[in-house]
Amino acid sequence: MADLYPVKRALLSVSDKTGLVDFGQALAARGVELLSTGGTAKALRAAGLDVRDVSEVTGFPEMMDGRVKTLHPVVHGGLLALRDDAGHVASMDEHGIGAIDLVVVNLYPFEETVAKGAPYGEVIENIDIGGPAMIRSAAKNHGFVNIVVDVEDYDVVLAEMEANDGQTSYALRQRLAQTAYARTAAYDTAVSTWMADAVGGTPRRRTFGGTLTQTLRYGENPHQSAAFYSDGSSRAGVATATQHQGKELSYNNINDTDAAFELVSEFAPADGPAVAIIKHANPCGVATGDTLAQAYTRAFDCDRTSAFGGIIALNQTLDAETAEAITGIFTEVVIAPDATAEAIAMFEKKKNLRLLTTGGLADPTAARLAPRQVSGGWLVQDRDVGRISRDDLRVVTKRAPSEQEMADMLFAWTVAKHVKSNAIIYVKDGATVGVGAGQMSRVDSTRIAARKAQDMAEAMGLPAPLTQGSVVASDAFFPFADGLVTAAEAGASALIQPGGSMRDDEVIAAADEAGLAMVFTGMRHFRH
């Protein structure tokens, strides 16, 4: 097998016709014979190119609504034949099979069909069969055949042919083959994932696929390589956002921005402005307000120290007033559904600040998978979309919560879902005033959150920490009364927790003794 091999005959069959005509014209100018099917052939002919129909080559018409057109020995023989194998060459000559040196295929728009909510039958019709078969045949025989599945590779192939007098290198054909197999794997992943959802149950096999969005400078640490892949979904968030300014996002930026945006998406814009500030994937301040600027200030006042160099997510359009407030400290990323021209102009003065707009919020109730790799396999679960309302709460203490306490407890519970376990959140008047995250002991999280509130009170010159008169949310039950007692000592007046501990009676008794109101949710929000 020679390193360089000429491209004399190409088969083009694409659903995405971006760049098709220009590519076809460049091939034809080099004397490459063009074979094609259906709409692709029509588009090429409309541009004045000489194209042979695959049906003319195979001697069989397209049939069954186009389901059968390239599934033929003349096509696959032309793709799979080893050009340096005398037996293969003899078979080609005997059966009139011409070699195909280049295949250009992008598949039926299955993912797009699913994304638009098409009915079952329409989705099935958009499962490509002939395309993946040709891709796999061409990729297997990459010693001689070029397989192109991405528009981005059109110019790459043409550049190689220009540099090598109409030939391509083995190294390029290898890379194209790898890309091709990854594409069919991702395509089959999309199909199998959709069918798993449609059929229900736990599938015997699971796959995950993605398309490279960005090669990152490094991972969590400089000695780790990393990249960002998109799953192709249209869900609003960091993967689909528009970046208006600033340097490339890092691995940690992307991870933290996702955490921030998913949290702020819990708060519907119609219910008022909300802001979340994230540091190391944990919220260090979340608040609502009459304006975005007020919500930002209240979130910032929860933990001004941790907010430095953090990620800020907003649930409404970023305005100039809020942008000005944000520029008061160093911030890595700001993400919002949209931004005014004034706000964008204001941020342009901060060259290291990245501004992302998403066009909307993520649906916090949408079901999706949350995979995690472990040694030797994957853990796969549904994303935590659990929610509660007032009607779901059970008052377990002698004192029932007030209306304000109830509203704050529901707010705190929403935030708790996005804080690493063990999670304790103090909230007062629709704003976090203390967050304890990721501790091995729940009572330690309670103490840390209270201590942060005390530090902030001293820094802001307040007469007392804002935990005085606050409510507390715990992502899981209190196993002992000590965590509750610590919260009471910090000034909390009410608590929301799942309940379900063997010592619930002991914890309830401690709440009653302290004069606290407490409700059980019957649901927990572990987040590891």
Side-chain angles (χ1 to χ4, degrees), residues 138-215:
K140 178 173 182 176
N141 202 24
H142 62 267
F144 305 96
V145 182
N146 302 269
I147 173 62
V148 175
V149 296
D150 292 331
V151 172
E152 293 86 348
D153 284 324
Y154 288 179
D155 288 342
V156 175
V157 171
L158 292 176
E160 276 246 344
M161 292 175 66
E162 177 67 26
N164 298 296
D165 192 25
Q167 303 176 98
T168 61
S169 67
Y170 181 62
L172 174 64
R173 297 193 298 275
Q174 277 186 308
R175 187 178 68 74
L176 292 173
Q178 187 280 322
T179 299
Y181 281 125
R183 176 63 185 119
T184 56
Y187 194 79
D188 286 340
T189 291
V191 174
S192 65
T193 298
W194 170 77
M195 288 209 73
D197 292 339
V199 173
T202 302
R204 180 179 296 121
R205 298 179 187 274
R206 274 281 188 196
T207 57
F208 303 95
T211 301
L212 180 66
T213 298
Q214 178 185 346
T215 300

Side-chain angles (χ1 to χ4, degrees), residues 249 252-257 260 275-285 296 300 303-313 326 329-335 352-355:
L249 295 169
N252 292 327
N253 290 154
I254 292 170
N255 188 54
D256 289 350
T257 302
V275 173
I277 305 175
I278 297 289
K279 194 70 172 289
H280 300 306
N282 275 304
C284 55
Y296 167 72
F300 177 59
D303 187 350
R304 294 180 177 181
T305 301
S306 297
F308 185 86
I311 310 293
I312 299 174
I326 289 172
I329 66 164
F330 170 61
T331 298
E332 290 275 6
V333 181
V334 176
I335 185 169
N352 290 326
L353 170 62
R354 294 89 153 183
L355 172 61

Side-chain angles (χ1 to χ4, degrees), residues 360-381:
L361 294 179
D363 181 358
T365 66
R368 57 192 179 102
L369 294 178
R372 176 177 294 180
Q373 189 168 19
V374 297
S375 180
W378 296 84
L379 282 172
V380 180
Q381 65 175 348

